[in-house]
Amino acid sequence: MQVIESVQEMQTAAMQLRFGGHLIALVPTMGCLHEGHLSLIRLAREKADKVIVSIFVNPEQFGPSEDFADYPRTWKEDLEACRANGVDFVFHPSAEAMYPEGFSSFVEEKQVSSGLCGVSRPTHFKGVSTVCLKLFNLVRPDFSYFGQKDAQQCAVIKKMVRDFNIPTEVIVGETVREADGLALSSRNRYLSKSQREEALAISSSLFEAKSMVEKGVVNVDRVIAEITHLLSLKRRIRVIYVQVVDDETMEAVKTIQPGRSRVCVAAWIDGIRLIDNCLL
Ligand code: AMP
């Protein structure tokens, strides 16, 4: 496994792989790797013969009052996990390498990114799209892997790839959860025992919504009311949004279409922001 910090070296290495006839997969991450990330790496290995994992805590996708400085960084463990999972290259650039002095171009997707997290984090998806476009240009991956846990991010990246004719196939991996349902997230490590217990209400309320729909409920208001009620029983939880959206456009829907509508939740558990979602 090779670790590359330089942008130019990454571009050259990827070009050599391509000229050598290899199929390349890219798994973009911010590190602090857990089973969610590793499941994407394993998926990538099924399709590509060279897997590149980027580990970059992207300052551009954090708002001014967000947790960029405190975002967990576990470099040594991440490298070990990549090695153990057959990663070929770890790309670990500095912020200065990705955004050198004078950097002034940004990508702004304006539809899919406008609702849900786009409301409370107005510059987030601009940062995500910009860094992903840079990574796509540097690596030119045949396949790129993203997790369903960040459903809106997946939709924004798919849209950008389509709008800009980027020659990569976006593959979305299922959300990996703890045995009790909590979606894995790098931010879970901030949770105390009692915060974690309350956070569990997020996934369990989503599963309850899914079971309502399986029993025939298609009324969005009823589903949202039930989730909001279940979350309101937890005193540490402050809901940012509960919304049912079309899985592709991320626009709010009035009637649930099973298999096409996704319920999305964002909430604060004290000062920790968690998101989760479930296809209905
Ligand atoms: P992050 O390091 O949080 O930026 O995540 C890197 C990638 O891993 C993104 O595509 C995420 O959607 C994905 N990911 C994060 N958590 C999970 C999870 N629990 N299950 C599946 N994929 C995940």
Side-chain angles (χ1 to χ4, degrees):
M1 187 177 82
Q2 209 177 317
V3 177
I4 297 183
E5 293 184 355
S6 144
V7 162
Q8 286 73 23
E9 266 178 49
M10 185 70 259
Q11 200 153 29
T12 306
M15 204 181 293
Q16 281 167 353
L17 291 177
R18 208 163 36 254
F19 287 160
H22 294 288
L23 282 176
I24 305 174
L26 171 69
V27 184
T29 82
M30 297 207 297
C32 194
L33 303 182
H34 50 62
E35 269 304 312
H37 301 108
L38 301 183
S39 70
L40 296 179
I41 292 171
R42 286 185 213 114
L43 266 188
R45 287 190 52 196
E46 283 173 17
K47 270 191 100 108
D49 50 354
K50 295 291 172 188
V51 175
I52 301 175
V53 172
S54 61
I55 297 183
F56 178 57
V57 184
N58 174 28
E60 289 297 334
Q61 69 188 71
F62 290 80
S65 58
E66 292 181 357
D67 57 349
F68 172 68
D70 297 333
Y71 194 82
R73 288 157 172 91
T74 55
W75 174 239
K76 278 201 181 128
E77 291 87 339
D78 290 354
L79 270 194
E80 237 359 273
C82 286
R83 205 167 275 129
N85 284 275
V87 170
D88 298 284
F89 292 85
V90 173
F91 179 45
H92 182 55
S94 65
E96 295 72 31
M98 289 296 269
Y99 303 110
E101 182 92 9
F103 184 93
S104 64
S105 305
F106 294 87
V107 183
E108 218 170 344
E109 193 288 325
K110 283 180 170 291
Q111 284 172 7
V112 178
S113 58
S114 62
L116 301 172
C117 288
V119 176
S120 47
R121 306 185 74 189
T123 59
H124 174 66
F125 289 114
K126 182 175 158 190
V128 170
S129 310
T130 301
V131 81
C132 285
L133 182 61
K134 281 185 69 91
L135 291 170
F136 290 154
N137 283 333
L138 289 173
V139 171
R140 302 243 229 117
D142 298 281
F143 312 106
S144 330
Y145 290 81
F146 294 86
Q148 189 68 76
K149 149 95 173 18
D150 298 276
Q152 190 178 17
Q153 172 169 281
C154 292
V156 171
I157 297 298
K158 279 184 180 171
K159 190 70 188 345
M160 175 180 80
V161 162
R162 202 178 324 139
D163 286 349
F164 285 150
N165 312 101
I166 299 170
T168 189
E169 184 185 336
V170 175
I171 297 171
V172 176
E174 283 304 311
T175 301
V176 177
R177 300 179 180 280
E178 305 270 13
D180 57 10
L182 184 72
L184 295 192
S185 162
S186 304
R187 290 189 172 97
N188 287 356
R189 63 173 52 214
Y190 296 141
L191 296 169
S192 67
K193 196 160 172 274
S194 56
Q195 286 168 334
R196 193 195 178 287
E197 270 166 29
E198 296 215 346
L200 207 49
I202 297 176
S203 52
S204 55
S205 67
L206 293 175
F207 301 152
E208 176 55 29
K210 171 95 180 154
S211 111
M212 285 171 79
V213 172
E214 279 167 359
K215 287 179 194 136
V217 176
V218 289
N219 183 303
V220 167
D221 294 338
R222 265 187 72 190
V223 165
I224 291 179
E226 179 63 16
I227 294 175
T228 309
H229 167 67
L230 291 171
L231 295 178
S232 74
L233 300 174
K234 306 295 174 188
R235 71 180 177 86
R236 294 172 187 278
I237 294 189
R238 189 157 55 84
V239 171
I240 302 168
Y241 62 75
V242 178
Q243 241 179 300
V244 180
V245 296
D246 177 87
D247 196 28
E248 192 178 316
T249 65
M250 294 286 124
E251 276 171 15
V253 296
K254 291 203 172 72
T255 306
I256 292 166
Q257 273 187 280
R260 219 200 128 81
S261 303
R262 186 171 292 278
V263 59
C264 302
V265 170
W268 291 104
I269 319 295
D270 296 329
I272 304 154
R273 192 182 192 281
L274 296 182
I275 58 171
D276 199 354
N277 65 82
C278 179
L279 191 69
L280 294 175

